[in-house]
């Protein structure tokens, strides 16, 4: 159905819908996008500019123009976003949300496969079921073991979960497994050649069992659209208007689904290229940049009026955008709706301890003197390890905080594992610590760990032998389950090396020896984000450098955990938010502190080494645009052990690129004033 909009009519009314004054409800930029003639539309919605409002009113506009709700498809990344938009449409128009095809790519893919899965190109049986994440990993494990029964016995090989993650990313980006491993999982380079076979047998097992995993919902939907002309015609003719939220976050296969759904090119893609920050989970920056090429005569609409932040914060955000390489992004300039206020601060501290002390002092002033709610204050960071000192200082000084992107540093699983190794070696009669580390071995559960422990304890007492040496005796090895026997020698050797280091070296060296031994190899197979976890354990090494004796380090960790547990934030208690920038996307706070703004920390060391910092720059832009009233960009001059090589740090290149007139510089005095 083609139609021409009467742009002089500010309040069109379709059949049965209450009138809406679109002109009064929207600013000029939003109104122009909402009322644009049908066709390919790329709406660049800057941070805080009313993206959701624009999409919602576009649906309402189409309804008022006489478009039936059954001809509108709304694709989102979360069910929450879809429900929110359709709920708003209902409030505006009274239209029942069930009359739209609205939801996530995966939910609509499932709906399409239920309708057309028996197509000749798929031949799905109609009673197919969908595996959850755990079931997918279990099936992966069984099929790989049937192909290579020794694969998972090598602890440096990925376990079923990480292996599934590698194959999943390859499928969603439609890149080869070799390329996927090279770019994202270099710890698995040595076994990349085996992965295509594993992916094949896993796919065959799903077909035999008539089950699909989450990725199949996209892959098979795309196959329907590209290989079955009748299905393609159905979608192309039924859904005459396609609206896509957060378009910059689409991966390769999602972008191809969108293109296949809309041969008529009536797509409104809403997004912001400057907020594309999820390449590590498949998002492809090229999708939004090449949209006009794939959809000729695309009308480009910029929504740049920002209702969130002060002009001074937006001036700095625009400075971040201006530093992007020419020709590799869409030009945009955020404009403030709010009144002038203070400039952002760039805060230089001596080290991360002083950085944390500054946070405490400034936050207390904001809360106690200015009446700012702790809930409206956020501390953002590039990586978890950067926030270690902040967590320690907040705990020590009684500042209530919530980590909204995971758990507290010393509660993270790999940190607890390594601390468990240290605890056991320092005190071999600590059976709880033994159970934690022994159960990391394959086929070792609580009962096996108990048997091994007491066999070693009895032998050590009888022979007056060191407990760790007793672990290598035949009496003890006979209690080790068959599945763990191959790893047992390296496990024991690593414990011995760590024990020797603990006896002769300071705690920092002991931590590093424990990291480099058996547990370091275990990490490679246990976690797809191995490199990030190594960074966090390196931060633990930096923390250990403060102590001369292992008992002091271990005691301090326990006390810190006790303090944070005692101060656990109640559901209704106000607290400072600590979170990674990735998790903060889409959120806003009155006051934002971005910590660790130094080269090697932000942008990260690996991005710098790969000469690929553009996504890091976009992440920096996301960070600064979370702030409504005040923004503090903090960096230490001296690195802890967690930092990049060398002791001295330089301010982040993202700070150095900014015109100094965009911020006020703040240096901490040695007396801890400013």
């Amino acid at each position: 159905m083609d139609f021409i909009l009467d742009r002089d009519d500010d309040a069109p009314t379709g059949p049965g819908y209450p009138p809406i004054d679109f002109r009064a409800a929207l600013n000029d930029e939003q109104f122009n996008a909402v009322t644009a003639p049908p066709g390919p539309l790329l709406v660049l919605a800057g941070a805080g500019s009313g993206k959701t409002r624009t999409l919602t009113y576009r649906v309402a506009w189409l309804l008022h123009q006489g478009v039936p709700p059954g001809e509108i498809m709304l694709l989102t990344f979360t069910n929450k976003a879809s429900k929110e938009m359709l709920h708003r449409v209902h409030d505006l128009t009274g239209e029942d949300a069930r009359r739209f095809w609205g939801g996530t790519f995966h939910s609509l893919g499932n709906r399409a496969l239920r309708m057309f899965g028996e197509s000749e190109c798929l031949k799905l049986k109609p009673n197919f079921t969908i595996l959850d994440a755990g079931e997918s990993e279990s099936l992966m494990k069984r099929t790989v073991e049937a192909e290579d029964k020794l694969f998972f016995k090598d602890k440096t090989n990925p376990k079923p979960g990480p292996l599934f993650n590698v194959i999943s990313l390859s499928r969603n980006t439609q890149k080869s497994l070799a390329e996927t491993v090279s770019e994202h999982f270099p710890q698995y380079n040595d076994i990349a050649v085996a992965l295509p076979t594993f992916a094949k047998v896993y796919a065959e097992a799903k077909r035999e069992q008539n089950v699909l995993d989450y990725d199949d919902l996209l892959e098979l939907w795309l196959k329907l659209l590209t290989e079955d002309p009748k299905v393609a015609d159905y979608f192309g003719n039924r859904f005459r208007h396609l609206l896509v939220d957060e378009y910059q976050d689409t991966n390769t296969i999602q972008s191809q689904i969108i293109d296949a759904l809309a041969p008529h090119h009536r797509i409104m893609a809403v997004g912001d290229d400057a907020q594309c920050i999820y390449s590590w989970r498949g998002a492809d920056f090229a999708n939004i940049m090449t949209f006009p090429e794939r959809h000729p005569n695309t009308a480009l609409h910029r929504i740049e009026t920002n209702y969130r932040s002060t002009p001074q914060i937006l001036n700095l955000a625009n400075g971040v955008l201006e530093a992007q390489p020419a020709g590799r992004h869409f030009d945009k300039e955020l404009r403030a709706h709010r009144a002038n206020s203070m400039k952002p601060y760039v805060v230089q501290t001596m080290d991360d301890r002083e950085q944390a002390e500054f946070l405490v002092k400034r936050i207390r002033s904001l809360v106690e003197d200015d009446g700012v709610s702790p809930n409206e204050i956020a501390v953002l960071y590039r990586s978890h390890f950067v926030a270690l000192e902040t967590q320690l200082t907040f705990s020590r000084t009684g500042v209530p905080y919530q980590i909204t992107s995971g758990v507290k540093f010393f509660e993270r699983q790999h940190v607890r594992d390594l601390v468990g190794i240290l605890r056991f070696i320092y005190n071999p009669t600590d059976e709880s610590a033994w159970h934690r580390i022994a159960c990391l071995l394959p086929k070792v559960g609580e009962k096996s760990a108990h048997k091994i422990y007491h066999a070693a304890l009895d032998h050590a007492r009888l022979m007056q032998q060191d407990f760790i040496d007793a672990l290598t005796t035949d009496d003890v090895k006979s209690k080790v389950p068959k599945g763990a026997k191959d790893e047992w020698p390296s496990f024991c050797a690593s414990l011995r090396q760590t024990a020797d280091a603990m006896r002769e070296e300071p705690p920092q060296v002991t931590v590093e020896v424990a990291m480099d031994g058996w547990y370091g190899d275990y990490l490679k197979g246990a976690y797809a984000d191995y490199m990030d976890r190594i960074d966090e354990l390196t931060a633990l090494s930096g923390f250990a450098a403060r102590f001369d004796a292992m008992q002091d380090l271990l005691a301090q960790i326990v006390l810190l955990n006790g303090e944070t547990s005692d101060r656990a934030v109640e559901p209704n208690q106000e607290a400072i938010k600590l979170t990674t920038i990735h998790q903060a996307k889409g959120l806003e706070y009155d006051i934002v502190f971005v910590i660790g703004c130094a080269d090697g920390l932000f942008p990260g060391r690996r991005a710098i080494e790969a000469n690929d910092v553009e996504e890091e720059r976009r992440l920096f832009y996301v960070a600064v645009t979370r702030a409504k009233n005040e923004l503090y960009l903090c960096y230490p001059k001296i690195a802890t052990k967690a930092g990049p090589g060398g002791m001295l740090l330089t301010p982040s290149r993202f700070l150095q690129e900014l015109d100094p007139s965009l911020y006020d510089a703040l240096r901490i005095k040695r007396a801890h004033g400013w």
Side-chain angles (χ1 to χ4, degrees):
M1 178 177 63
D2 295 315
F3 57 86
I4 300 174
L5 301 183
D6 179 5
R7 299 302 296 274
D8 294 324
D9 181 1
D10 288 347
T13 56
Y17 296 117
I20 299 174
D21 189 345
F22 287 87
R23 177 67 274 180
L26 305 166
N27 66 29
D28 290 347
E29 299 160 339
Q30 294 167 343
F31 180 78
N32 289 335
V34 164
T35 62
L41 304 171
L42 180 57
V43 181
L44 300 174
S49 64
K51 168 182 64 67
T52 301
R53 186 176 187 84
T54 301
L55 272 169
T56 301
Y57 273 83
R58 176 63 173 182
V59 176
W61 174 270
L62 292 173
L63 294 175
H64 276 75
Q65 292 297 313
V67 177
E71 292 186 3
I72 300 172
M73 180 184 288
L74 175 63
L75 284 161
T76 63
F77 277 86
T78 66
N79 282 314
K80 179 182 177 182
S82 174
K83 289 177 181 177
E84 178 185 355
M85 288 184 206
L86 293 178
H87 178 74
R88 291 191 190 183
V89 170
H90 175 75
D91 288 345
L92 282 171
T93 67
E95 188 60 75
D96 188 344
R98 291 173 295 184
R99 297 190 63 194
F100 300 91
W101 268 48
T104 65
F105 284 86
H106 294 89
S107 66
L108 297 190
N110 173 58
R111 191 168 176 178
L113 293 177
R114 294 295 175 188
M115 293 172 63
F116 301 109
E118 294 179 87
S119 164
E120 278 300 307
C121 71
L122 295 185
K123 295 182 179 179
L124 280 178
K125 297 176 183 177
N127 64 332
F128 71 83
T129 50
I130 302 171
L131 303 173
D132 63 24
E135 292 165 340
S136 298
E137 291 174 15
S138 296
L139 181 58
M140 177 76 71
K141 181 177 186 295
R142 294 194 298 272
T143 55
V144 170
E145 286 179 335
E147 186 71 20
D148 181 354
K149 64 181 180 180
L150 299 179
F151 182 79
F152 292 125
K153 292 185 180 297
D154 186 335
K155 61 181 176 296
T156 63
N157 288 343
K159 287 182 167 51
L163 178 59
F164 181 84
N165 290 342
V166 174
I167 293 174
S168 175
L169 186 60
S170 171
R171 294 169 67 188
N172 280 281
T173 59
Q174 297 194 323
K175 292 183 178 180
S176 70
L177 280 161
E179 189 175 1
T180 301
V181 168
S182 177
E183 290 183 7
H184 299 279
F185 309 98
Q187 69 268 30
Y188 303 141
N189 276 330
D190 291 345
I191 51 94
V193 66
L195 300 189
T197 299
F198 296 157
K200 180 182 177 183
V201 296
Y202 169 68
E204 290 171 348
K206 286 186 296 178
R207 170 65 69 172
E208 290 172 3
Q209 298 177 25
N210 195 34
V211 296
L212 306 182
D213 63 22
Y214 210 50
D215 297 327
D216 288 318
L217 301 177
L218 299 186
E219 280 190 327
L220 299 183
W221 188 16
L222 179 60
K223 188 171 183 178
L224 274 176
L225 292 169
T226 55
E227 297 185 16
D228 189 322
K230 292 182 180 179
V231 174
D233 287 345
Y234 171 84
F235 280 99
N237 291 323
R238 174 174 175 178
F239 298 103
R240 308 292 288 169
H241 299 275
L242 187 62
L243 287 75
V244 188
D245 187 26
E246 301 285 12
Y247 186 79
Q248 78 282 346
D249 292 339
T250 55
N251 60 35
T252 302
I253 200 166
Q254 288 165 335
S255 176
Q256 291 178 353
I257 287 171
I258 293 165
D259 291 351
L261 284 170
H264 44 67
H265 300 290
R266 290 192 188 91
I267 306 172
M268 174 182 271
V270 181
D272 183 1
D273 57 298
Q275 296 189 70
C276 182
I277 59 173
Y278 295 116
S279 68
W280 49 275
R281 68 184 191 196
D284 189 348
F285 182 69
N287 290 345
I288 192 168
M289 297 305 300
T290 61
F291 184 91
E293 298 172 18
R294 301 196 314 280
H295 301 281
N297 302 313
T298 290
L300 196 63
H301 291 266
R302 289 177 171 83
I303 303 179
E304 299 171 318
T305 301
N306 176 287
Y307 293 88
R308 174 186 300 156
S309 306
T310 65
Q312 286 69 24
I313 291 172
L314 295 183
N315 288 341
L316 188 141
N318 287 329
V320 176
L321 296 181
E322 289 171 4
Q324 296 179 101
R328 293 176 58 186
H329 61 93
F330 290 109
D331 293 332
K332 68 179 68 66
E333 181 178 358
L334 298 177
R335 293 186 299 276
H337 184 74
R338 296 180 55 194
N340 283 315
S341 185
M342 66 177 66
K343 290 182 181 180
Y345 287 104
V346 171
V347 185
Q348 180 194 89
T349 63
M350 183 59 64
D351 54 23
D352 56 356
R353 288 196 224 186
E354 195 170 70
Q355 179 178 253
E357 290 168 5
F358 164 74
L359 294 181
V360 170
K361 189 168 185 178
R362 182 61 187 137
I363 286 170
R364 281 181 171 164
S365 176
L366 289 164
V367 173
E368 296 169 6
D369 300 336
D370 299 341
V372 178
S373 166
N375 288 338
E376 286 297 329
I377 301 174
V379 179
L380 309 183
Y381 35 86
R382 172 64 183 88
S383 304
H384 286 289
F385 73 85
V386 174
L388 170 58
E389 190 61 47
T390 298
Q391 293 181 38
L392 298 176
T393 303
F394 280 13
S395 295
R396 176 172 53 81
T397 57
V399 175
Y401 69 94
Q402 284 182 318
I403 297 177
T404 60
S405 56
V407 297
K408 293 179 174 65
F409 182 86
F410 286 110
E411 295 173 1
R412 289 177 65 74
Q413 187 167 337
H414 50 295
V415 176
R416 293 182 66 191
D417 289 344
L418 199 68
V419 171
I421 292 171
L422 300 176
R423 282 176 50 194
F424 169 70
I425 291 173
Y426 181 73
N427 174 18
T429 59
D430 183 345
E431 191 170 355
S432 296
W434 164 258
H435 274 253
R436 178 163 194 96
I437 62 175
C439 289
L440 299 176
L441 290 160
K443 304 300 183 182
V444 174
E446 291 290 332
K447 290 183 179 179
S448 298
H450 182 79
K451 289 179 181 178
I452 296 168
Y453 179 83
H454 284 280
L457 190 63
D458 292 344
H459 187 95
R461 286 172 175 169
L462 179 65
M463 305 302 294
Q464 295 186 333
Q465 190 177 19
D466 181 276
F467 187 97
I468 293 175
D469 290 337
L471 291 173
T472 62
T473 62
D474 291 340
D475 288 350
V476 176
K477 285 192 286 188
S478 67
K479 301 292 190 293
V480 176
K482 183 178 179 181
K485 287 189 182 297
D486 289 344
E487 287 191 34
W488 189 252
S490 64
F491 175 78
C492 294
S494 182
L495 294 179
R496 168 48 57 204
Q497 291 165 359
T498 307
D500 292 343
M502 189 176 292
R503 186 169 55 251
E504 301 169 4
E505 303 287 352
Q508 180 181 5
V509 174
T510 304
V511 172
E512 292 169 352
V513 170
M515 284 172 57
D516 292 339
W518 173 87
Y519 188 69
D521 289 337
Y522 166 84
L523 273 182
K524 288 183 182 178
Y527 300 106
D529 60 347
Y530 160 78
M531 303 297 289
D532 291 335
R533 293 178 188 257
I534 285 293
D535 285 342
E536 292 170 24
L537 293 182
T538 303
L540 176 62
S541 168
F543 177 70
R546 304 179 186 182
F547 301 91
D548 296 324
M550 182 58 66
Q551 64 264 27
D552 296 333
L553 169 63
L554 295 175
Q556 188 61 33
I557 291 173
V558 172
L559 291 172
L560 286 168
N561 275 338
E563 287 177 3
T564 55
S565 297
D566 291 342
R567 295 199 181 100
V569 178
E570 298 298 327
N572 296 323
Q573 182 182 354
E574 294 187 334
I576 312 301
K577 303 299 185 289
L578 269 62
T579 181
T580 63
I581 301 164
H582 283 103
Q583 290 293 325
K585 183 176 178 290
L587 304 177
E588 58 183 37
Y589 302 93
D590 286 347
I591 316 293
V592 167
F593 297 87
V594 186
I595 61 174
C597 296
D599 261 20
L601 301 178
F602 194 7
R605 171 178 48 83
R606 289 193 292 276
I608 294 172
E609 291 172 351
N611 195 29
D612 184 14
V613 299
E614 289 312 305
E615 183 162 331
E616 298 275 297
R617 182 181 282 107
R618 297 193 293 270
L619 190 63
F620 188 68
Y621 166 80
V622 168
V624 302
T625 53
R626 299 310 94 197
K628 297 196 292 187
N629 300 333
E630 296 182 29
L631 173 65
Y632 298 83
L633 305 170
C634 311
Y635 71 93
K637 287 180 62 179
I638 298 176
T640 63
K641 181 65 179 176
M647 291 298 293
L648 291 179
L649 294 174
T650 59
S652 169
R653 62 194 63 197
F654 306 144
L655 295 179
Q656 297 185 58
E657 291 166 348
L658 295 171
D659 186 324
S661 68
L662 297 174
Y663 58 83
D664 285 331
L666 203 60
R667 285 182 172 78
I668 306 300
K669 296 178 182 177
R670 296 314 302 154
H672 302 290
W674 58 85

